[in-house]
């Protein structure tokens, strides 16, 4: 079953806030100078910030903030975040694949940015609403 | 220099305990835009059966990433962190993390592989309460990009 598409806007300010909250101060997530020096197209989002937004999508689909039992992703492509007010947009799609033997719902996830997949093998197992 | 594959299977001593603060959970939830009252309101969390506010699913990385420094800063292993990108991440929860938890992490190197000039290092972090009850296990695969 296809779940409702969810979109998340990502700006530089979001990355700065996430850096502070998570303790991940890698300069590729805030310094254009550093990011281009190490061969990136520019400042990119923390992979774990992308995963956190996908986590919001998953908990919204599951219907409760504490439903996630297992959550895994592969970061297949960076998410560049331009230094402007619009930033970029992450689009998250999910397909409910039915129940596991343990009674959990499996959700297969696709996340795209500018039409390109940024995660692969993304999957969550969630508790069903009581 | 490729990473020494004989480090696979190595475990490290448990970390000092990490005290999960209510304001840290709120700060993290705010940073990712997670507005659910379970992350912010202790009364709502108690009504749902938790002792205090509940962390969002990826909050564990705050604890495990700090714990993983035991591995990535191990001079005998010699990871060049300036060449590291995040490959894969997984969390398997026994229960959600809640404010007030005192959590101890135990790191294990699960796998080291080299392919195409890059090294792939899979770290497993078992996070448990001070009493030793399992809370969450995290797997982080990092890629140490080869030179050139």
């Amino acid at each position: 079953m296809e779940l409702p598409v969810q979109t998340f806007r990502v700006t530089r300010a979001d990355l700065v806030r996430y850096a502070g909250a998570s303790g991940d101060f890698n300069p590729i997530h805030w310094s254009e100078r550093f990011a281009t020096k190490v061969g990136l197209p520019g400042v990119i989002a923390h992979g774990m910030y992308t995963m956190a937004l996908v986590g919001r999508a998953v908990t919204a689909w599951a219907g409760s903030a504490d439903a996630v039992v297992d959550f895994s992703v592969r970061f297949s492509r960076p998410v560049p975040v331009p230094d402007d007010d619009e930033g970029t947009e992450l689009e998250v799609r999910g397909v409910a694949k039915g129940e596991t033997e343990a009674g959990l719902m499996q959700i297969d996830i696709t996340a795209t940015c500018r039409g390109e997949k940024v995660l692969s093998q993304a999957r969550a197992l969630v508790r069903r609403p009581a | 220099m490729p990473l020494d594959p004989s480090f696979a299977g190595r475990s490290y001593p448990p970390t000092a305990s990490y005290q999960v603060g209510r304001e840290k959970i709120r700060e993290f939830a705010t940073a990712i835009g997670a507005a659910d009252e379970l992350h912010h309101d202790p009364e709502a969390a108690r009504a749902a059966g938790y002792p205090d506010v509940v962390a969002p699913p990826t909050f564990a990385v705050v604890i495990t990433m700090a714990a993983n420094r035991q591995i990535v800063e191990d001079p005998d292993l010699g990871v060049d962190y300036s060449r590291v990108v995040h490959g894969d991440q997984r969390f398997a929860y026994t229960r959600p993390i809640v404010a007030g938890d005192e959590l101890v992490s135990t790191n294990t190197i699960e796998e080291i592989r080299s392919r195409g000039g890059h090294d792939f290092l899979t770290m497993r972090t078992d996070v448990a309460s001070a009493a030793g009850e399992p809370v969450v296990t995290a797997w982080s695969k990092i890629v140490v990009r080869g030179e050139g």
Side-chain angles (χ1 to χ4, degrees):
Chain A
M1 184 185 72
E2 295 250 358
L3 300 163
V5 179
Q6 299 185 61
T7 59
F8 302 91
R9 189 144 291 285
V10 181
T11 67
R12 289 285 179 90
D14 294 320
L15 302 188
V16 172
R17 205 175 288 115
Y18 184 78
S22 69
D24 183 347
F25 294 102
N26 189 329
I28 61 174
H29 306 305
W30 52 267
S31 167
E32 194 81 18
R33 178 173 53 84
F34 187 90
T36 50
K37 195 173 77 185
V38 298
L40 294 165
V43 164
I44 62 170
H46 305 74
M48 288 308 303
Y49 183 63
T50 301
M51 189 176 185
L53 297 179
V54 171
R56 278 177 57 195
V58 169
T59 52
W61 288 324
S64 77
D66 59 347
V68 176
V69 175
D70 198 297
F71 187 18
S72 53
V73 305
R74 169 163 296 172
F75 303 104
S76 51
R77 203 184 291 272
V79 175
V81 180
D83 184 14
D84 58 30
D85 293 340
E86 278 73 47
T88 194
E89 194 171 69
L90 188 73
E91 194 170 87
V92 184
R93 293 167 190 277
V95 178
K97 303 294 275 190
E99 272 189 37
T100 66
E101 278 175 26
L104 302 170
M105 182 170 69
Q106 180 177 329
I107 302 174
D108 289 353
I109 302 153
T110 313
T112 55
C113 179
R114 298 177 190 276
E116 296 199 288
K117 285 187 186 180
V118 295
L119 300 179
S120 60
Q121 299 178 31
R123 195 193 70 163
L125 300 177
V126 300
R127 273 193 299 274
R128 316 275 299 184
Chain B
M1 272 279 284
L3 296 178
D4 178 356
S6 75
F7 275 71
R10 181 173 301 205
S11 282
Y12 289 74
T15 61
S17 77
Y18 178 100
Q19 171 138 23
V20 180
R22 182 190 290 167
E23 300 303 339
K24 189 67 192 176
I25 287 180
R26 286 173 167 161
E27 179 193 12
F28 186 88
T30 300
I32 67 167
D36 193 282
E37 59 184 5
L38 278 188
H39 306 312
H40 297 275
D41 179 358
E43 288 306 319
R46 280 193 271 275
Y50 296 103
D52 206 320
V53 295
V54 178
T58 63
F59 176 83
V61 78
V62 173
I63 299 159
T64 62
M65 191 179 173
N68 284 342
R69 292 173 61 176
Q70 252 185 342
I71 297 174
V72 296
E73 293 179 0
D74 181 343
D76 296 330
L77 182 60
V79 171
D80 177 358
Y81 202 70
S82 73
R83 309 199 67 81
V84 164
V85 292
H86 201 164
D88 296 45
Q89 183 66 40
R90 177 181 172 208
F91 301 102
Y93 277 93
T94 304
R95 65 159 172 86
I97 293 172
V98 296
D101 276 340
E102 300 255 5
L103 300 176
V104 173
S105 299
T106 306
N107 287 310
T108 303
I109 297 178
E110 276 213 336
E111 188 182 57
I112 293 178
R113 295 177 63 186
S114 296
R115 199 168 61 241
H118 307 298
D119 288 325
F120 300 82
L121 170 66
T122 304
M123 302 175 282
R124 188 184 81 235
T125 309
D126 293 300
V127 181
S129 71
E133 297 152 336
V135 176
V136 56
T137 298
W139 288 263
S140 301
K141 181 189 271 189
I142 61 172
V143 184
V144 188
R145 294 179 298 151
E147 313 267 348

